[in-house]
Amino acid sequence: MTEVKAGVEYKISIDDNSFLLNSKKFDLLKYINNTGSITEAAKLTKISYRTALNYISKIESNLEIAIVSTQKGGSGGGGSATLTSEGKMILKECKKINAIMELHRDVNEIEANIISIDRPKGIMKIELNPQVQLTIPLNENYNVGDKILALISYDNIFIMLKPQESSIRNIFKGQIIEMKLEGEMIRVKIDIGGTDIFSDITVSATKELNLTLGKEIYIGFKAVSVATLKL
């Protein structure tokens, strides 16, 4: 079952309008879709019927669209309810975001700002800190100045002793500040310009590269390995 992580809010945008969707609001919409009842959905979400109506009202007000369609029934909040096509789209978007998070369980989560967009080339540059900028594929829904969360899986980070010519677009110099055994892998923590990046490599590769604490190395990753979420 798809679950939005508790305490996390996802920004959902429709036609330049947006709102923050958290686990309670997501569960409410999910249960309305499953049960056809706001009353039952509120019970399953563990909120009051009044709170449920307030959630729906705020979402609809922010997006300027209807997300729930109701038919009157008996007293006490009776009747039926269904999600509109826009309401179902919100559920779909949130499930897509959650799928990205589930796919990358061990992932570097780094807040970044979009500093430039090259639409003809289909790329954009994001800044992690004043010393580190990444080039990644363009997301047409983003604009310069947007704050995003960059997600880079630990096993997508390559460690090198010197920069190499390759298809890897993002290569940075860093210093190893922590090494820890995680199962059959070594988890290496690297400082690149004030931002910490984790990489998982094999024990044998660690020995071959003679990786030690304090050693200066280079890390690299392909642009397509970076997933993003708008904050």
Side-chain angles (χ1 to χ4, degrees):
M1 179 181 294
T2 301
E3 293 184 0
V4 175
K5 294 175 175 58
V8 176
E9 292 184 323
Y10 299 136
K11 187 174 182 180
I12 305 295
S13 300
I14 298 178
D15 295 333
D16 297 327
N17 295 319
S18 62
F19 79 105
L20 295 177
L21 183 70
N22 58 22
S23 59
K24 289 289 187 182
K25 295 172 186 174
F26 173 74
D27 284 345
L28 177 65
L29 297 186
K30 179 177 64 178
Y31 290 132
I32 289 174
N33 192 50
N34 292 344
T35 66
S37 166
I38 296 177
T39 302
E40 289 302 314
K43 289 178 182 178
L44 291 170
T45 308
K46 298 180 181 180
I47 59 175
S48 68
Y49 181 76
R50 184 184 296 274
T51 298
L53 293 181
N54 185 47
Y55 281 171
I56 294 168
S57 176
K58 284 187 176 180
I59 295 172
E60 293 184 332
S61 176
N62 286 343
L63 296 183
E64 298 179 357
I65 57 173
I67 62 169
V68 177
S69 175
T70 60
Q71 291 185 343
K72 293 183 179 180
S75 60
S80 63
T82 58
L83 293 184
T84 63
S85 59
E86 289 83 1
K88 291 180 179 180
M89 182 175 65
I90 290 171
L91 278 181
K92 181 180 178 181
E93 287 301 309
C94 196
K95 288 177 180 178
K96 284 165 56 179
I97 292 172
N98 196 68
I100 293 174
M101 300 296 287
E102 287 298 315
L103 181 63
H104 302 284
R105 287 184 178 273
D106 291 327
V107 65
N108 293 286
E109 300 182 15
I110 311 164
E111 290 191 10
N113 296 308
I114 298 175
I115 58 174
S116 69
I117 289 176
D118 189 330
R119 297 191 185 279
K121 292 184 179 180
I123 59 174
M124 58 186 184
K125 283 190 176 182
I126 62 175
E127 183 178 78
L128 308 189
N129 63 52
Q131 285 76 45
V132 181
Q133 298 175 0
L134 308 185
T135 299
I136 62 176
L138 173 64
N139 184 317
E140 293 292 347
N141 295 320
Y142 294 170
N143 297 295
V144 172
D146 284 347
K147 176 175 274 190
I148 64 171
L149 189 66
L151 308 174
I152 316 170
S153 179
Y154 293 175
D155 54 15
N156 280 334
I157 305 290
F158 301 96
I159 294 179
M160 303 165 281
L161 297 182
K162 58 182 179 180
Q164 303 172 4
E165 291 186 9
S166 70
S167 61
I168 299 175
R169 185 183 289 269
N170 297 291
I171 297 178
F172 304 97
K173 187 176 182 179
Q175 185 177 46
I176 297 175
I177 58 176
E178 182 178 292
M179 298 177 67
K180 185 186 300 183
L181 182 64
E182 295 284 345
E184 298 180 355
M185 305 291 286
I186 299 293
R187 181 155 296 171
V188 184
K189 186 177 181 181
I190 307 112
D191 173 26
I192 56 167
T195 296
D196 294 338
I197 297 287
F198 290 90
S199 173
D200 283 347
I201 66 172
T202 63
V203 174
S204 60
T206 304
K207 292 179 179 178
E208 289 174 8
L209 296 174
N210 191 28
L211 300 184
T212 57
L213 286 177
K215 187 165 188 171
E216 291 189 346
I217 48 89
Y218 290 86
I219 66 166
F221 49 90
K222 293 184 177 181
V224 294
S225 67
V226 184
T228 60
L229 301 174
K230 185 184 288 188
L231 298 177

